[in-house]
Every structure is written in C-alpha cells, then in structure tokens.
C-alpha cells in the first residue's frame, strides 16, 4: 500500500496456516484493545481446506453484516467438505466484517464503516480498515478466484441474482462464463464495474481485479432476512462453481447435493448500467411503492409516491423509472430521505 504504510505487514494474525495441508478451523485475530478487554482481539471465524496442488479459491460472506445467504451456505459448505475432496486450497470466511455481523448491521458498530467502501484498507486504520487491508495484502494475493456473497441488507430486497462485472473488453471472459454456467443462478446481471456505483472504486472487486483474481458476486435476497430461493441457489451453485474452478472434485454425495439444489440451465441475462433503471427519493417522507419484485415495467413507469410526513394529505410526489425493465430490487423501509434508493430495474440483454 502507498504512503507511510510502506511494506509493513498487517498486524492481523491467523490461527490457521494457509500453507499447511488438511482442514483447519480457526480465526483471524484483529487486535482490539478496549475498556473491557485490554489485550483483546476480535476473532473472525475462518476455515482453510488444503490438499495438494491446485488453485486457491477465496469465499466470503458477511462483508455487510445484515446479509445471510452467504454466511449460512458457506458455514454448511465447511461442514460438508473433506480434505480429500479438495485439489488446491479453499479459504472460507462466512462473516468477513464480523463486528457488523454480530450487530446485524451493514456497517461496523465500532467505526461505522462499510467494509465494501474501505478498500484497499489501512494497516494502521480502524478495525474495518484493518480488515480491508488484510484482505488486500494477505488474502487476495494468495487467491486465483474470489466469490463474495451479498444480499440487499436491511434497506433492500433483491430477486436472487448473480452479478458479473465486466471491464471494457474481454478479460477472462471465457473462464468467467464457464463459472457462471456452472453456478447456474436464477438470473445473471452483467454490469460495467467502472460505471456501476457511479465510479465507486473502494470496493473489493476493484482490488481483486488489480491482483488478477477472477471475481464473482451476487445479491441473493435482502431485508436482513434469509431468502430460501437465494440460499438454495448459493448452496448448490457454490459446489458446482468450486468443481468448475478445479479446486473441488464432487464426490457422489456432493454431486447428488449439487443436483438436488436449484439450477437454471439457461438463466436470463440482464444489464443495469442505465441510470434510468434506478429510482431515488428527492426528499423526505413515506414511500408507497407502485411495483413489486418480479414485475416488468415500461419506460417511464411509476415507481411510487412519496407522502409528506408533516402534511400527509398533500398531493404525494410521483417518482418514475425513466427506463423500463424487470424489477429486481425494492426498498424495504417506507420512511425515506433525499437520496435513498427506492428500487431498481434490470434490462434483459
Ligand atoms: Zn452487501
């Protein structure tokens, strides 16, 4: 990392040895000296399963602490996998922003930071910045693949969807396509990683790319709850994804399991790069949506109405989507402020 951080290594330590064979269950220790625990640390659960030569795959959930399909599916995965099934290394961290996960919150209760806006992180920074720095300097350099599982968190609900970033022309696209086909999600959203999030580059995907790590992510539910369709898509999909990446040989039982869980042979592809697909509140009030997840909306369709909290009988403000598409995301909370996302659509390609 740049500046005064130099090449000094992270002070986060691991109780697992990334180079040792076998199945290890341990923690990452983030030093955290506080009033009630002078020499304490935060213990982030981590599993490493290594067997012989092969690629290293990093699987993360709980980058946002109020998203659950990833943490549940990854915890089950660790229990299922035996060392002999693996050819290479699988690193699993079900709840990467562990303090946020323990608080059921998108951001950490310690520093109020969103981990997926903290990259590349800071060795000498706050707890969340230290976690991001550890990922950038210790985990990503080991990995050939990263799958980071998300959902909409407390404020959004998503139709379970795999998200595939692209960067201009064609890097790794054939191999990414093969992994997408293996994961076989209900729907696939391809997005221009440089345009999405309005040029936001403090995200984990940006540093995965810089370090040559093949990256996939997805939104598998939301509303700080567990989406059963999304959970099944992740449980089966991750087995087939690991198989396709060459790090896992599906034994008979795992193969049966990967077949039993949901799989879409020809998932519809969408894009969400047109800003007109998104609806935002212009001011405060309470939001009455005019659409449901899964509906297809025309260009200019009404997203909903926002009523004044102080003069609720006044004519509400009508909010529209400029561009039509499939409704894949909707806000959970009715109370809104200016700038809150009310939902978004995705356009079939
Ligand atoms: Zn998330």
């Amino acid at each position: 990392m740049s500046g005064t951080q130099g090449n000094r290594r992270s002070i986060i330590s691991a109780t697992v040895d990334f180079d040792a064979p076998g199945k290890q269950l341990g923690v990452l220790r983030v030093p955290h000296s506080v009033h009630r625990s002078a020499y304490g640390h935060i213990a982030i659960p981590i599993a490493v399963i290594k067997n012989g030569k092969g690629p290293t795959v990093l699987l993360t959930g709980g980058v946002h602490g109020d998203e659950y399909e990833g943490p549940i599916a990854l915890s089950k995965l660790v229990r299922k996998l035996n060392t002999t099934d693996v050819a290479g290394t699988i690193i699993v961290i079900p709840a990467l922003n562990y303090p946020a996960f323990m608080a059921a919150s998108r951001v950490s209760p310690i520093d109020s930071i969103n981990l997926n806006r903290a990259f590349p992180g800071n060795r000498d920074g706050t707890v969340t910045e230290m976690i991001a720095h550890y990922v950038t300097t210790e985990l990503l350099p080991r990995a050939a693949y990263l799958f980071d599982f998300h959902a909409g968190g407390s404020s959004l609900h998503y139709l379970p969807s795999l998200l595939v970033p692209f960067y201009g022309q064609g890097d790794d696209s054939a191999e990414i396509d093969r992994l997408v086909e293996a994961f076989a999600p209900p729907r696939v959203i391809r997005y221009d990683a440089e345009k999405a999030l309005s040029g936001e580059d403090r995200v984990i995907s940006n540093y995965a790319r810089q370090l040559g790590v093949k990256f996939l992510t997805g939104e598998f539910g939301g509303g700080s709850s567990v989406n059963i369709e999304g959970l099944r898509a992740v449980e089966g999909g991750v087995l087939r994804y690991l198989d396709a990446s060459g790090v896992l040989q599906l034994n008979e039982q795992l193969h049966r399991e990967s077949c039993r869980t949901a799989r879409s042979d020809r998932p519809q592809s969408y894009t969400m790069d047109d800003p007109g697909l998104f609806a935002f509140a212009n001011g405060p009030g309470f939001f009455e949506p005019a659409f449901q997840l899964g509906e297809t909306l025309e260009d200019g369709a009404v997203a909903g109405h926002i009523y004044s909290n102080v003069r609720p009988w006044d004519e509400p403000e009508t909010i529209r989507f400029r561009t039509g598409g499939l409704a894949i995301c909707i806000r959970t909370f009715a109370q809104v402020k200016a700038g809150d996302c009310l939902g978004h659509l995705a356009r079939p390609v």
Side-chain angles (χ1 to χ4, degrees):
M1 299 301 91
S2 60
T4 56
Q5 294 182 59
N7 292 320
R8 293 186 302 140
R9 283 187 72 169
S10 172
I11 52 171
I12 296 177
S13 59
T15 64
V16 289
D17 178 349
F18 293 103
D19 299 315
K23 180 172 179 175
Q24 303 172 74
L25 308 175
V27 293
L28 300 175
R29 290 180 164 169
V30 187
H32 190 52
S33 176
V34 291
H35 175 75
R36 52 157 295 280
S37 182
Y39 300 152
H41 60 260
I42 293 161
I44 305 174
I46 182 171
V48 179
I49 308 163
K50 181 176 167 67
N51 186 32
K53 287 201 190 334
T56 295
V57 180
L58 175 61
L59 303 173
T60 52
V63 161
H64 298 130
D66 55 349
E67 303 174 1
Y68 296 96
E69 293 78 9
I72 293 172
L74 294 183
S75 302
K76 286 185 178 179
L77 176 73
V78 169
R79 209 164 54 235
K80 283 177 215 163
L81 293 184
N82 302 307
T83 305
T84 50
D85 303 326
V86 173
T89 306
I90 303 175
I91 303 172
V92 186
I93 308 176
L96 187 57
N97 196 346
Y98 194 67
F101 184 74
M102 292 303 288
S105 165
R106 181 172 187 81
V107 303
S108 173
I110 298 169
D111 51 25
S112 296
I113 292 179
N114 174 346
L115 175 56
N116 208 24
R117 300 293 182 274
F119 285 86
N122 181 352
R123 178 193 184 276
D124 304 326
T126 67
V127 166
T128 307
E129 290 169 335
M130 287 166 70
I131 294 170
H133 174 264
Y134 184 82
V135 171
T136 310
T137 58
E138 297 287 340
L139 296 178
L140 289 179
R142 295 179 175 279
Y145 302 88
L146 165 63
F147 202 136
D148 185 31
F149 294 92
H150 283 257
S154 301
S155 73
L156 299 172
H157 271 296
Y158 266 93
L159 288 183
S161 309
L162 182 71
L163 269 72
V164 184
F166 64 84
Y167 305 87
Q169 270 164 17
D171 43 351
D172 302 331
S173 61
E175 177 158 28
I176 292 287
D177 286 348
R178 206 167 54 74
L179 296 173
V180 170
E181 196 180 314
F183 191 85
R187 46 197 76 74
V188 178
I189 300 169
R190 294 177 191 272
Y191 68 99
D192 184 333
E194 282 153 27
K195 276 193 213 150
L197 301 170
S198 316
E200 177 63 72
D201 59 5
R202 300 169 294 172
V203 292
I204 192 169
S205 56
N206 188 30
Y207 292 87
R209 179 178 186 238
Q210 286 183 26
L211 292 163
V213 182
K214 293 174 189 75
F215 176 79
L216 286 177
T217 185
E219 304 285 0
F220 294 99
S224 195
S225 63
V226 180
N227 181 310
I228 296 292
E229 184 201 359
L231 179 61
R232 293 200 176 123
V234 174
E235 285 184 18
V238 74
L239 288 173
R240 298 186 294 266
Y241 163 86
L242 291 170
D243 180 46
S245 71
V247 76
L248 182 66
Q249 268 115 41
L250 295 182
N251 63 35
E252 205 176 311
Q253 193 191 337
L254 291 177
H255 180 71
R256 269 204 311 273
E257 222 168 291
S258 82
C259 295
R260 206 171 49 226
T261 49
R263 105 172 254 155
S264 314
D265 283 330
R266 288 213 139 262
Q268 174 71 49
S269 279
Y270 297 87
T271 167
M272 56 179 195
D273 290 337
D274 178 345
L277 293 165
F278 288 72
F280 292 93
N282 298 315
F286 51 100
F287 174 56
E288 176 200 9
F291 70 99
Q292 288 186 308
L293 283 184
E295 268 184 63
T296 298
L297 280 72
E298 303 292 321
D299 287 357
V302 174
H305 306 279
I306 295 177
Y307 296 83
S308 163
N309 283 319
V310 289
R311 295 184 54 86
W313 38 78
D314 281 1
E315 188 68 31
E317 184 189 6
T318 299
I319 308 283
R320 294 176 183 275
F321 292 107
R322 285 204 314 280
T323 310
L326 173 74
I328 60 159
C329 173
I330 191 166
R331 181 175 173 82
T332 59
F333 301 132
Q335 282 290 345
V336 297
K337 291 180 179 172
D340 285 343
C341 182
L342 306 173
H344 76 85
L345 313 179
R347 214 155 37 80
V349 287

